[in-house]
Amino acid sequence: MALTQNSRVLLNDGHKMPMLGFGTYAPETYTKEQGCDSIKLAIDVGYRHIDGAFIYGNEVEVGKAIREKIADGTVKRGDIFYTGKLWSSSHAPDRVRPALEKTLKDLQLDYIDLFIIHTPMDVKPGDDPMPKDGDGKLIYHNTDLRDTWKVKCGNVKASSMKQVANTLMFF
């Protein structure tokens, strides 16, 4: 199969995800404005899968870029497949939904298309994304990721909120 702009992979729920995505991570040597501009350019040249994450620290700018391309008529929201990621300090079941809600708030989008666990490494739950002990070593935690996955799936099935109900969550 040749890869084209319209190449998609069929997900187990029937949705189709563009096979080629634009990653939004940018080193600190680039400004947030440059990141925003790169996302807009990516959409202009045909990228429809935008891959972001809380830990990149730029969800506000990513959302701004997507919304600007919607506002100028380049794309409709349904044309963009947005993937977000749950960070390691939010694997505890009571932190999953607030993490998703923060992503939605920062992006200022009604929904995201895919919300995945960024990495299976679990750190101490809390607002510090990289909690360290007195010796500067990362503080790991022992959340059972199966419990994280169950909460995520439960949010989709139980919620009447559009932004959560339309989010596809896989482990």
Side-chain angles (χ1 to χ4, degrees):
M1 175 176 107
L3 184 64
T4 69
Q5 184 175 349
N6 293 318
S7 293
R8 306 276 192 271
V9 61
L10 182 64
L11 301 177
N12 65 356
D13 70 344
H15 286 85
K16 294 180 180 177
M17 178 177 70
M19 292 180 74
L20 187 60
F22 184 79
T24 61
Y25 171 76
E28 292 179 12
T29 54
Y30 294 93
T31 67
K32 302 235 181 194
E33 186 61 34
Q34 287 173 310
C36 186
D37 290 344
S38 70
I39 295 159
K40 291 189 284 188
L41 180 60
I43 292 170
D44 284 341
V45 300
Y47 281 90
R48 295 300 180 258
H49 182 176
I50 307 297
D51 178 84
F54 160 79
I55 198 64
Y56 301 165
N58 62 0
E59 287 182 315
V60 170
E61 292 76 20
V62 171
K64 178 181 180 221
I66 293 170
R67 292 190 319 277
E68 285 180 11
K69 296 317 292 179
I70 292 169
D72 76 9
T74 302
V75 292
K76 297 176 189 151
R77 173 60 187 95
D79 297 334
I80 298 292
F81 189 98
Y82 183 84
T83 298
K85 297 181 194 81
L86 180 69
W87 184 243
S88 299
S89 58
S90 293
H91 289 177
D94 64 327
R95 296 190 58 84
V96 174
R97 188 179 189 121
L100 172 60
E101 290 171 350
K102 179 174 180 3
T103 287
L104 290 166
K105 180 181 176 206
D106 288 349
L107 291 168
Q108 294 183 36
L109 296 176
D110 290 336
Y111 64 96
I112 61 176
D113 300 281
L114 180 65
F115 193 55
I116 61 176
I117 293 173
H118 196 136
T119 180
M121 173 190 74
D122 185 34
V123 299
K124 178 183 174 186
D127 295 332
D128 183 353
M130 299 295 252
K132 295 184 176 141
D133 65 17
D135 294 327
K137 294 181 181 177
L138 203 55
I139 303 171
Y140 294 98
H141 195 254
N142 61 353
T143 301
D144 186 330
L145 290 179
R146 291 173 294 185
D147 293 334
T148 304
W149 180 79
K150 288 175 190 173
V151 171
K152 290 171 63 180
C153 290
N155 282 349
V156 174
K157 294 174 185 170
S159 177
S160 62
M161 296 171 52
K162 178 180 177 185
Q163 67 267 28
V164 178
N166 287 343
T167 302
L168 312 174
M169 296 185 174
F170 302 95
F171 177 70

